[in-house]
């Protein structure tokens, strides 16, 4: 279906259509139409609560800039009505993205220092070493691999879980749990179709991190897990539910997002050989290339906000209780902000993408993610002699955090 054949009503359903997220070109054609013709559609899809979708960069920014009106509440992600009801009955998580100020600010302060440039600078050497090992691994694999599975998944997983302080033996388990949580609608990763099975994933997280809290309280070490286990907010030990939720967001948000960006970034280079050549000849472009990969992939497809007092964005009125979906994937292709937005440009500057959000909830790990992506490509590009697809790339079936789950490649590497 071309943009001209698609109706606005059809286009607006993409945000609640799991399959649409597996077809990048379809998704973007729909969003292009919406940005042009109906940038804030009211989306009514059976099974989902009605919501407005913000498709333009400026409108997403407007919502991000006013967190006191557009709040995260305990439901920051779009979910089916029935599923949301069951989740709330079981007890919504209380991670940073589930909280609003003033609690949010206090809880964020608990770990904020760990993700500041001065703290992360200490990890530079370690991240470079992991990037080297990742590319060595490509060489060992003998010229063919699934870049998503073999290379882009293990490196960010190791970075964040080692900051947290988890034993290496537990990394595969954390990976499985993250995938079951974020990719629960994809048959390849889901534990089961039922809500009850999904909830066992949450119970596993709670069981695992509950034991970790006990351990780090008894024997604190220098890691982030010990900081969380012994954290104090308003002079009181952090509440147990908030505490476990905190572990969950650090352990999960910290790797799938970055892995998807690395894989989607390489896929974009494969599809744009001129940009690969450009990067090869001018390694000083690595920082802008990483930013462009993040814009291009936008692995966090959306967050949801809830209107708590009557408001307006670009002439659209909102009433108390309305839900707004902030489509980062669409905003990052906005023609009004990005010249030639569908061109993958490793030298793009400025690049005011919203892939990390903006404002109070701006991604805590943004700098860490950029360091990892830069390090991997800084190591890979000079060693790459040739590269080509070795099979079809595949996107995950997810409306929240998503990207390429498979990218088979054939290559020669030094
Ligand atoms: C390319 C990789 C990543 C992308 C695209 C990404 C994207 C995002 C987005 C869109 C938000 C919400 C922002 C908003 O609501 O305005 C967010 C929040 C968050 N991210 Fe990331 N993220 C990435 C990597 C990471 C990493 C490596 C960590 C490691 C700790 C991390 C931890 C978090 C946390 C803790 C929050 C919640 C912040 C808050 O609510 O105050 N993310 N991220």
């Amino acid at each position: 279906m071309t943009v001209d054949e698609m109706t606005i009503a059809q286009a607006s359903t993409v945000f609640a259509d799991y399959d649409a997220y597996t077809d990048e070109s379809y998704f973007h054609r729909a969003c292009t139409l919406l940005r042009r013709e109906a940038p804030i559609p009211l989306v009514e899809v059976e099974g989902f609560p009605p919501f407005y979708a913000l498709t333009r960069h400026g409108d997403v920014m407007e919502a991000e800039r006013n967190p006191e009106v557009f709040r995260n509440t305990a439901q920051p992600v779009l979910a089916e009505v029935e599923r949301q009801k069951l989740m709330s009955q079981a007890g919504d998580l209380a991670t940073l993205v589930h909280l609003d100020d003033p609690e949010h600010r206090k809880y964020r302060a608990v770990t904020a220092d760990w993700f500041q440039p001065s703290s992360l600078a200490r990890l530079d050497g370690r991240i470079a070493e992991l990037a080297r090992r990742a590319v060595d691994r490509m060489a060992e694999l003998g010229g063919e691999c699934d870049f998503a599975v073999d290379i882009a998944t293990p490196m960010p997983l190791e970075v964040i879980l080692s900051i947290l302080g988890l034993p290496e033996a537990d990394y595969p388990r954390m990976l499985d749990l993250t995938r079951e949580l974020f990719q629960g609608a994809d048959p390849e990763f889901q534990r089961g179709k039922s809500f009850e099975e999904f909830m066992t994933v949450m119970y596993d997280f709670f069981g695992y991190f509950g034991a970790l809290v006990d351990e780090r309280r008894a024997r604190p070490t220098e890691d982030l897990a010990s900081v969380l286990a012994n954290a104090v907010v308003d002079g009181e030990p952090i509440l147990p539910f908030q505490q476990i939720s905190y572990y969950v967001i650090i352990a999960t948000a910290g790797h799938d997002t970055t892995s998807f960006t690395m894989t989607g970034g390489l896929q974009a280079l494969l599809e744009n050989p001129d940009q690969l050549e450009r990067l090869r000849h001018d390694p000083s472009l690595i920082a802008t290339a990483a930013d462009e990969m993040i814009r291009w992939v936008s692995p966090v497809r959306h967050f949801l906000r809830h209107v708590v007092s009557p408001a307006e964005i670009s002439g659209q009125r909102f009433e108390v209780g309305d839900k707004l979906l902030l489509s980062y994937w669409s905003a990052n292709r906005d023609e009004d902000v990005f010249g030639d937005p569908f061109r993958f440009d490793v030298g793009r500057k400025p690049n005011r993408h919203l892939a990390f959000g903006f404002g109070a909830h701006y991604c805590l790990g943004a700098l860490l993610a950029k360091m990892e992506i830069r390090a991997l490509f800084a190591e890979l590009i000079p060693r790459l002699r040739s590269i080509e697809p070795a099979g079809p790339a595949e996107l995950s079936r997810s409306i929240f955090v998503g990207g390429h789950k498979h990218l088979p490649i054939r290559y020669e590497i030094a």
Side-chain angles (χ1 to χ4, degrees):
M1 199 188 301
T2 68
V3 169
D4 293 334
E5 288 160 356
M6 204 184 284
T7 65
I8 287 167
Q10 278 166 339
S12 69
T13 61
V14 289
F15 304 105
D17 175 356
Y18 289 93
D19 292 327
Y21 288 83
T22 65
D23 182 348
E24 240 170 321
S25 123
Y26 177 74
F27 189 92
H28 283 310
R29 272 182 287 143
C31 290
T32 302
L33 175 67
L34 294 171
R35 283 193 304 276
R36 195 178 67 208
E37 306 283 342
I40 310 186
L42 174 63
V43 184
E44 294 177 289
V45 171
E46 204 189 327
F48 284 87
F51 62 91
Y52 290 94
L54 303 186
T55 61
R56 285 187 178 163
H57 187 282
D59 294 342
V60 171
M61 279 289 274
E62 189 66 21
E64 295 267 25
R65 278 201 187 102
N66 292 293
E68 57 297 326
V69 178
F70 306 109
R71 294 178 79 82
N72 284 34
T73 75
Q75 297 165 10
V77 175
L78 182 67
E80 292 85 345
V81 175
E82 195 53 28
R83 192 179 184 80
Q84 184 60 64
K85 203 168 83 195
L86 293 167
M87 276 195 290
S88 300
Q89 278 164 6
D92 287 311
L93 277 171
T95 78
L96 289 183
V97 294
H98 293 76
L99 300 177
D100 292 291
D101 284 344
E103 288 76 21
H104 168 259
R105 191 177 311 123
K106 294 178 198 168
Y107 276 88
R108 186 166 164 127
V110 169
T111 58
D113 279 354
W114 279 68
F115 298 96
Q116 292 299 319
S118 52
S119 312
L120 291 177
R122 288 198 296 267
L123 291 176
D124 249 344
R126 171 97 183 114
I127 290 176
E129 169 60 23
L130 288 175
R132 209 164 19 253
R133 275 178 23 200
V135 180
D136 288 349
R137 174 91 189 115
M138 277 178 79
E140 283 160 27
L141 287 168
E144 239 182 84
C145 75
D146 182 337
F147 187 79
V149 175
D150 299 320
I151 307 301
T153 297
M155 182 187 158
L157 184 73
E158 176 152 7
V159 171
I160 194 64
L161 297 187
S162 63
I163 294 177
L164 205 47
L166 304 193
E168 220 171 311
D170 293 350
Y171 293 178
R173 184 160 173 215
M174 264 316 120
L175 176 63
D176 286 347
L177 285 173
T178 305
R179 291 280 157 92
E180 286 164 342
L181 179 66
F182 284 163
Q183 312 300 322
D186 190 317
E188 188 176 337
F189 303 115
Q190 70 192 178
R191 183 173 291 189
K193 281 190 170 28
S194 72
F195 178 74
E196 288 67 29
E197 283 163 306
F198 172 76
M199 281 312 288
T200 62
V201 176
M202 298 314 302
Y203 300 143
D204 284 356
F205 268 122
F206 274 68
Y208 181 88
F209 287 122
L212 188 66
V213 169
D214 294 343
E215 163 69 25
R216 292 299 198 276
R217 279 203 177 136
R219 281 173 292 280
T221 59
E222 298 292 305
D223 56 25
L224 188 53
S226 301
V227 171
L228 289 175
N230 298 289
V232 170
V233 165
D234 285 340
E236 297 288 332
I238 188 170
L239 298 169
F241 196 67
Q242 265 81 343
Q243 188 169 43
I244 304 289
S245 297
Y246 218 135
Y247 282 104
V248 173
I249 194 158
I250 300 279
T252 58
H255 57 97
D256 246 17
T257 46
T258 314
S259 304
F260 282 136
T261 308
M262 289 169 169
T263 305
L266 187 69
Q267 163 75 348
L269 289 173
L270 276 167
E271 285 177 349
N272 297 276
D274 61 319
Q275 297 302 304
L276 177 57
E277 266 324 290
R278 211 174 146 203
L279 198 51
R280 213 197 294 272
H281 284 109
D282 185 358
S284 74
L285 291 176
I286 209 76
T288 50
D291 282 340
E292 181 69 340
M293 290 174 184
I294 297 163
R295 176 186 81 89
W296 194 254
V297 176
S298 299
V300 177
R301 307 306 198 194
H302 82 271
F303 264 112
L304 204 63
R305 298 291 192 263
H306 303 260
V307 178
V308 295
S309 53
E312 197 179 302
I313 293 180
S314 293
Q316 173 65 55
R317 289 281 304 164
F318 301 114
E319 302 304 332
V320 173
D322 284 347
K323 296 178 198 316
L324 269 55
L325 178 140
L326 281 48
S327 176
Y328 299 119
W329 216 13
S330 173
N332 285 339
R333 294 288 198 281
D334 190 331
E335 302 69 10
D336 288 345
V337 175
F338 303 99
D340 208 353
F342 286 93
R343 176 169 164 69
F344 178 76
D345 174 1
V346 294
R348 187 179 289 278
K349 211 173 175 182
N351 192 341
R352 296 195 305 275
H353 69 73
L354 290 174
F356 291 123
F358 184 83
H361 289 275
Y362 180 76
C363 176
L364 189 63
L367 183 56
L368 177 63
K370 285 200 230 187
M371 284 168 65
E372 294 180 51
I373 296 161
R374 286 177 198 163
L376 181 67
F377 286 93
E379 179 71 24
L380 175 62
I381 302 294
R383 291 175 61 182
L384 205 54
R385 299 283 168 266
S386 68
I387 183 162
E388 60 180 19
E394 232 183 299
L395 286 165
S396 68
R397 191 175 177 274
S398 166
I399 65 174
F400 177 38
V401 174
H404 286 92
K405 58 178 182 174
H406 296 296
L407 181 62
I409 49 168
R410 194 172 301 116
Y411 51 86
E412 284 172 298
I413 209 151

